[in-house]
């Protein structure tokens, strides 16, 4: 038995070569063909029987068509993504991927983490791959950055709780306590800054003090008119 391999519509690329005898009861004959360096395409494998003198009969020729595919699929992934945090644990992010192959057509893409996963604050790498019918695999990755750029809400309902005063009122008590309603933030409020534009007994004029955590200020004030400002902040440094 001799084997010959020819590209469909093209030249012979291998053979004639000898077909080997096998000891298997089901596959009595075999031959090897290394397709690693063979161009993609359709090929005809012809088997012909000859006697010792080289004679053959036209009816002794058998042929099969096979497809060689050594090319990886084409993987299409999103560009690196930047999304806004939806909460302190990050954000649920969906994305679209695809893969095509010249022989296998459209392919399924596997990604980790998957689309629709919860991505934490910071940078996460998504790794994807697609494999065609003969095992050629293409891989790729992209990043998803979840960040917090949204400021907390503005503190509201500033009020003097000790002594109880209305805005613009006068008092001879130099130590005051100011309260306000808590601000809100998707990721979480970490504290408050306050600013007093008339100097306290200690501290400078118009300087933001960043040491406040609770929604309350207590301190001593010099005589005079004071404007008290409060702003909220989050862990990313956003301020209302």
């Amino acid at each position: 038995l001799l084997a010959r391999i020819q590209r469909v519509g093209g030249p012979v690329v291998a053979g004639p070569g000898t077909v080997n005898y096998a000891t298997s009861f089901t596959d009595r004959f075999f031959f090897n063909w290394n397709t690693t360096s063979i161009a993609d395409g359709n090929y005809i494998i012809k088997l012909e029987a000859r006697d010792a003198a080289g004679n053959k009969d036209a009816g002794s020729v058998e042929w099969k068509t096979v497809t060689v595919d050594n090319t990886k699929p084409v993987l299409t992934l999103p560009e690196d993504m930047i999304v806004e945090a939806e909460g302190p644990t990050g954000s649920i992010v969906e994305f679209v991927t695809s893969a095509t192959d010249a022989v296998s057509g459209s392919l399924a893409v596997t990604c980790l983490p998957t689309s629709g996963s919860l991505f934490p604050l910071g940078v996460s790498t998504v790794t994807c791959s697609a494999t065609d019918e003969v095992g050629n695999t293409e891989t790729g990755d992209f990043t998803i950055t979840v960040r917090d750029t949204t400021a907390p809400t503005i503190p509201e309902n500033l009020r003097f709780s000790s002594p109880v005063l209305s805005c613009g009122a006068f008092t001879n008590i130099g130590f005051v306590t100011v309260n306000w309603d808590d601000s809100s933030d998707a990721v979480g409020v970490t504290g408050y800054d306050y600013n007093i534009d008339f100097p306290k007994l200690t501290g400078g004029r118009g300087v933001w003090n960043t040491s406040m955590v609770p929604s309350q200020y207590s301190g001593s004030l010099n005589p005079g008119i004071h404007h008290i400002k409060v702003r909220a902040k989050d862990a990313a440094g956003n301020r209302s």
Side-chain angles (χ1 to χ4, degrees), residues 159-165 171 173-179 216-219 221:
R159 57 198 180 275
F160 292 92
S161 59
S162 177
V164 178
L165 301 169
T171 181
I173 300 176
F175 190 92
V176 298
T177 298
V178 181
N179 291 83
Q216 183 184 79
Y217 163 77
S218 295
L221 303 176

Side-chain angles (χ1 to χ4, degrees), residues 43-90:
Y43 294 83
I44 298 174
I45 300 177
K46 293 184 178 180
L47 299 176
E48 59 186 40
R50 297 191 182 193
D51 61 19
N55 302 308
K56 69 174 183 177
D57 184 85
S60 68
V61 177
E62 179 72 16
W63 61 275
K64 295 290 184 181
T65 300
V66 297
T67 300
V68 174
D69 177 13
N70 290 320
T71 303
K72 295 179 179 180
V74 176
L75 189 61
T76 302
L77 303 178
E79 297 291 332
D80 292 343
M81 302 173 65
I82 299 176
V83 299
E84 188 70 12
E86 298 174 344
T89 57

Side-chain angles (χ1 to χ4, degrees), residues 170-188:
F170 292 87
T171 181
N172 60 359
I173 300 176
F175 190 92
V176 298
T177 298
V178 181
N179 291 83
W180 54 86
D181 294 343
D182 288 336
S183 296
S184 61
D185 184 79
V187 175

Side-chain angles (χ1 to χ4, degrees), residues 88-112:
T89 57
S91 185
I92 293 176
V93 182
E94 296 183 349
F95 51 83
V96 177
T97 62
S98 64
T100 58
D101 184 77
V103 176
S104 302
S106 297
L107 300 172
V109 180
T110 301
C111 294
L112 289 175

Side-chain angles (χ1 to χ4, degrees), residues 81-84 86 90-95 113-120 126 142-146:
M81 302 173 65
I82 299 176
V83 299
E84 188 70 12
E86 298 174 344
S91 185
I92 293 176
V93 182
E94 296 183 349
F95 51 83
T114 60
S115 176
S117 296
L118 176 64
F119 289 83
V126 180
F142 62 97
T143 62
I144 295 179
T145 301
V146 180

